[in-house]
């Protein structure tokens, strides 16, 4: 996973959470507020220092702040501490505000969520099937993710980019990831295009529209969509990434697109937005109904994703939530509508995990209302009990596994008698919790179950989202075979050229921009892995003529070999 993508998936942090936070309901019920606050504060102890970035916490109950405070520093250079008034970029948590803007325009009679997007954005190619605004907001459009497209074309996170670059990147695509409505795949392109539609339909930019129709009416004075990287934002936290030696580097973006992200806000202001879900001053009941309507696939299957919100449950309680990440910023707004309790966690450190932190805070405040999965004893990720397995038992699961839909790869290897998972750009220890089940040694709820098959399968469960990877037999081509793949390859869809070089008996992929070269690791014949990307070479007359590139939210990018 990368810190350079606006996303909803939980980021795999490096700090472990305390394992002593879940207590019997009777114990918590007897505690006073100070004891509850102390228990919550212990969750953030790793960040509650004057030499570390950290997080702001807001706990809302019955439309008021039950607890709010900051942990760590908003600005390490100036020595400014984080507080409830500190402003953070909330990444993809912004999407619910973009969805609300479209829903308000539908109430105004200026558009329908079932409009063909090309009615408002004719620059998009005709893909043979209409893509609707609802497809954009439900992540079922099939559009490739523009952030992935731009970064693969060589654009860096600290480059200055705007709407023109993003729209051009999307409009260059000759194909979709899948037919509109056929699948769910998170794509920031849909919400960026939503911002374009807001401006073309209303005559006001999304920042202007949201300020006039959402933020100002609710009194959210510290909240805005940022569409100018030069904008001075009072009380803003800087964002950081760890350098690995106890120091930090600034990790902030100059991208100016809005819609998929770019909301800056505070835990104090988010209370006012949260309150609107119970006593709607903006949009009325119709807005709430629209935002909570879960998407449906063409097959009729209902999604957990609605309009900018995930509708799910946690330990038996209904939840409405969305996380976000951009640069070094991390965010989560988690609502328990039946309990009228919400938790906001906003952070300025790339290795934080606000989604899990928010759940742990809820464990404390709602301990008498949340049940465990088995209806009895609560079991958190940190409380999975390890079991003892021999090296031979562990070794039988080693191998390379691939998801046929996305092309994503998981490698399981042995390192000094420890089973290790290669995923998300690094290695993670796998701790056995059953004969065929393991948890990744990270703070989020990430587990893996092996199916002996044949073929052997690896079932990944990341906080309730499941993906199956099938074991594949990898090949070991010789130097002469590898030399056939070397050359330059051009993608009109990226407007970029890649080079494949043979260096030290291994293939290296050289991309535009500041990204370092990546080693191409063989998978199957003509198929290689390069970090999080999978390259599938194509042949014509037996010779390499090009390749297709897959990377998570971007599938099947076409590259053609150019003349040497």
């Amino acid at each position: 996973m990368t810190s350079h993508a606006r996303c909803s998936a939980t980021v795999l942090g490096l700090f472990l959470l305390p394992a002593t936070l879940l207590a019997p309901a009777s114990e918590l019920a007897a505690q006073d507020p100070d004891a509850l606050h102390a228990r919550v504060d212990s969750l953030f102890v790793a960040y509650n220092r004057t030499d570390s970035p950290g997080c702001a916490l807001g706990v809302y109950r019955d439309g008021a702040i039950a607890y709010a405070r900051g942990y760590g520093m908003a600005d390490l250079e100036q020595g400014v501490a984080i507080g409830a008034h500190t402003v953070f970029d909330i990444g993809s948590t912004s999407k619910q505000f973009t969805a609300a803007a479209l829903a308000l325009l539908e109430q105004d009679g200026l558009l329908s969520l079932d409009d063909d997007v090309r009615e408002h954005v004719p620059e998009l190619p005709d893909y043979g099937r209409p893509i609707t605004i609802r497809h954009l907001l439900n992540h079922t459009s099939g559009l490739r993710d523009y952030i992935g497209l731009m970064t693969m074309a060589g654009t860096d996170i600290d480059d200055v980019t705007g709407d023109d670059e993003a729209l051009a990147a999307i409009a260059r695509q000759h194909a979709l990831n899948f037919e509109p409505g056929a699948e769910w795949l998170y794509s920031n392109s849909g919400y960026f295009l939503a911002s374009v539609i807001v401006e073309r339909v209303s005559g006001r930019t999304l920042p202007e529209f949201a300020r006039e129709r959402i933020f100002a009416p609710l009194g959210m004075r510290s909240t805005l969509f940022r569409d100018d990287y030069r904008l001075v934002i009072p009380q803003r936290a800087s964002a950081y990434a760890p350098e690995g030696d106890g120091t930090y580097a600034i990790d902030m973006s100059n991208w100016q697109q809005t819609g998929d992200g770019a909301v800056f806000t505070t835990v104090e202001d988010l209370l006012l937005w949260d309150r609107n879900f119970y006593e709607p001053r903006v949009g009325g009941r119709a807005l709430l109904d629209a935002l909570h309507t879960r998407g449906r696939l063409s097959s009729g299957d209902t999604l957990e994703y609605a309009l900018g919100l995930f509708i799910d449950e946690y330990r038996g309680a209904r939840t409405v939530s969305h996380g976000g990440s951009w640069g070094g910023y991390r965010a989560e707004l988690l609502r328990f509508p039946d309990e009228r309790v919400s938790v906001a966690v906003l952070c300025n450190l790339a290795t934080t995990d606000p989604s899990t932190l928010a759940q742990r805070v809820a464990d404390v405040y709602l301990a008498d209302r949340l049940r465990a999965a088995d209806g009895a004893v609560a079991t958190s990720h940190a409380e999975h009990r390890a079991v003892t397995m021999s090296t031979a038992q562990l070794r039988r699961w080693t191998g390379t596994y691939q998801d046929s839909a996305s092309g994503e790869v998981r490698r399981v290897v042995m390192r000094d008698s420890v089973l290790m998972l290669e995923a998300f750009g690094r290695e993670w220890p796998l701790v056995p919790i059953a004969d065929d089940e393991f948890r990744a040694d990270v703070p989020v709820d990430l587990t893996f179950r092996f199916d002996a098959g044949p073929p052997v399968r690896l079932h990944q469960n990341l906080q309730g989202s499941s993906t199956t990877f099938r074991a594949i037999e990898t090949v070991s081509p010789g130097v002469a075979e590898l030399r056939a793949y070397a050359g330059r390859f051009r993608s009109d869809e990226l407007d970029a050229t890649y080079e494949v070089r043979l260096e030290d008996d291994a293939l290296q992929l050289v991309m535009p921009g500041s990204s370092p070269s990546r080693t191409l690791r063989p998978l199957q014949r003509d198929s290689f892995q390069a970090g999080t990307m999978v390259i599938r070479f194509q042949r014509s007359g037996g010779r390499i003529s090009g390749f297709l590139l897959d990377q998570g939210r971007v599938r099947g990018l076409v590259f053609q070999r150019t003349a040497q």
Side-chain angles (χ1 to χ4, degrees):
M1 289 186 178
T2 174
S3 64
H4 297 166
R6 290 170 178 156
C7 65
S8 70
T10 300
V11 177
L12 302 178
L14 301 181
F15 298 107
L16 294 179
L17 298 174
T20 58
L21 299 171
L22 298 179
S26 58
E27 176 186 334
L28 287 175
Q31 292 182 348
D32 60 25
D34 289 342
L36 289 178
H37 297 164
R39 205 170 186 85
V40 168
D41 291 343
S42 70
L43 287 164
F44 296 87
V45 66
Y47 318 112
N48 196 22
R49 311 195 316 261
T50 58
D51 61 348
S52 172
C55 304
L57 167 69
V59 181
Y60 316 136
R61 174 176 281 161
D62 294 325
I65 291 180
Y67 189 49
R69 65 161 295 181
Y71 308 89
M73 307 303 289
D75 189 323
L76 292 173
E77 294 175 302
Q78 302 298 322
V80 178
I82 294 172
H85 58 279
T86 302
V87 176
F88 297 82
D89 183 340
I90 61 172
S92 284
T93 309
S94 309
K95 286 182 167 67
Q96 56 201 285
F97 296 104
T98 304
L102 269 295
L104 290 172
L105 286 171
E106 185 174 54
Q107 288 185 20
D108 295 343
L110 296 177
L111 57 75
S112 166
L113 296 186
D114 297 311
D115 284 349
D116 185 333
V117 173
R118 296 186 72 244
E119 294 179 21
H120 308 287
V121 190
E123 296 95 325
L124 288 186
D126 182 352
Y127 294 110
R129 289 285 300 274
I131 299 172
T132 67
I133 296 174
R134 196 179 302 277
H135 285 141
L136 300 182
L137 302 183
N138 287 153
H139 296 298
T140 57
S141 69
L143 288 166
R144 294 164 174 162
D145 186 275
Y146 85 91
I147 295 177
L149 295 170
M150 290 178 62
T151 54
M152 285 190 288
T155 305
D156 293 324
I157 189 174
D158 52 2
D159 290 339
V160 178
T161 69
D163 288 5
D164 290 346
E165 290 88 348
L167 186 55
I170 298 170
R172 275 196 299 268
Q173 303 311 299
H174 302 159
L176 301 171
N177 286 329
F178 50 81
E179 185 177 286
E183 297 182 37
W184 184 91
L185 182 64
Y186 199 89
S187 175
N188 289 290
S189 295
Y191 277 79
F192 163 71
L193 290 175
S195 76
V196 175
I197 293 170
V198 168
E199 181 170 4
R200 293 183 179 183
V201 169
S202 73
R204 289 166 287 175
T205 64
L206 176 60
E208 293 168 340
F209 185 89
R211 182 179 65 248
E212 296 169 13
R213 297 290 297 276
I214 301 173
F215 303 146
L218 293 178
M220 300 173 70
R221 296 184 178 85
S222 297
T223 303
L224 73 158
F225 273 99
R226 189 198 74 160
D227 60 352
D228 184 346
Y229 80 100
R230 301 168 302 173
L231 188 65
V232 175
I233 302 177
Q235 308 290 343
R236 178 174 63 166
S238 295
Y240 302 90
E243 288 286 87
D245 58 357
T247 63
Y248 301 94
I250 291 175
D251 188 3
M252 298 169 69
S253 171
N254 291 325
W255 289 25
Q256 300 175 122
Q257 298 87 352
T258 64
D260 55 309
V263 166
F264 285 68
T265 190
T266 70
V267 296
E268 292 177 332
D269 267 14
L270 285 177
L271 165 70
L272 305 176
W273 173 244
D274 183 75
R275 188 184 292 165
N276 196 66
F277 282 85
Y278 303 106
E279 301 171 3
R281 295 174 54 191
V282 168
R285 178 57 55 181
L287 175 65
L288 305 190
D289 291 343
L291 294 182
H292 290 97
T293 299
R294 294 162 63 181
R296 293 175 68 88
L297 298 178
S298 304
S299 64
D301 291 343
T302 301
L303 303 172
E304 292 179 351
Y305 203 86
L307 299 188
L309 296 168
F310 285 93
I311 312 298
D312 203 354
E313 68 171 43
Y314 174 68
R315 293 180 59 196
R318 287 198 308 130
T319 58
V320 180
S321 65
H322 211 295
S325 69
W326 187 233
Y329 292 106
R330 300 290 182 269
E332 177 66 55
L333 179 57
L334 171 64
R335 180 177 303 110
F336 293 85
D338 297 334
E339 287 74 22
R340 295 179 68 92
V341 168
S342 300
V343 182
V345 179
L346 312 182
C347 306
N348 65 333
L349 177 60
T351 50
T352 52
D353 177 16
S355 299
T356 299
L357 285 166
Q359 290 177 345
R360 298 296 171 259
V361 172
D363 290 336
V364 174
Y365 276 90
L366 297 174
D368 57 340
R369 306 187 198 184
L370 300 179
R371 64 167 174 80
D374 60 4
V377 180
T379 301
S380 69
H381 170 72
E383 292 176 319
H384 283 302
R385 294 186 180 276
V387 299
T388 301
M389 296 179 66
S390 68
T391 300
Q393 289 175 304
L394 294 173
R395 193 179 301 279
R396 64 178 173 156
W397 302 125
T398 60
T400 302
Y401 301 82
Q402 188 168 29
D403 173 20
S404 59
S406 67
E408 284 189 271
V409 173
R410 301 287 181 264
R411 295 179 189 261
V412 180
V413 299
M414 290 290 293
R415 301 269 191 255
D416 298 325
S417 299
V418 176
L419 203 63
M420 303 290 292
L421 170 76
E422 295 182 12
F424 314 119
R426 56 168 296 182
E427 287 191 354
W428 310 90
L430 289 176
V431 180
I433 56 178
D435 288 344
D436 60 355
E437 191 170 0
F438 297 77
R439 67 171 171 84
D441 194 11
V442 295
V444 300
D445 190 6
L446 176 59
T447 60
F448 295 87
R449 181 176 58 82
F450 291 90
D451 176 356
V456 179
R457 290 182 173 86
L458 174 64
H459 304 282
Q460 172 185 289
N461 188 298
L462 176 57
Q463 292 197 312
S465 178
S466 298
T467 308
T468 297
F469 299 80
R470 179 174 173 168
I472 61 172
E473 291 292 332
T474 59
V475 298
S476 299
V479 173
E481 293 175 275
L482 292 177
R483 188 173 291 113
Y485 297 105
R488 293 171 61 84
F489 299 84
R490 171 76 182 173
S491 171
D492 291 338
E493 294 178 297
L494 286 189
D495 189 21
T497 298
Y498 287 12
E499 184 175 1
V500 177
R501 298 176 182 170
L502 181 62
E503 298 178 356
D504 299 325
D505 298 340
L507 292 177
Q508 299 291 325
L509 181 68
V510 182
M511 302 167 59
S514 62
S515 177
S517 63
R518 307 182 188 195
T519 300
L520 288 174
R521 302 173 65 183
L523 292 170
Q524 295 178 300
R525 185 176 188 266
D526 292 339
S527 177
F528 294 78
Q529 180 186 5
T532 58
M533 300 186 299
V534 171
I535 305 292
R536 294 175 286 143
F537 285 94
Q538 310 293 298
R539 293 178 180 267
S540 176
R543 298 174 61 84
I544 300 298
S545 58
F547 63 77
L548 300 178
L549 186 153
D550 300 318
Q551 187 184 45
R553 299 170 184 171
V554 175
R555 301 177 185 172
L557 272 178
V558 176
F559 283 75
Q560 298 290 341
R561 190 168 198 158
T562 65
Q564 296 297 317

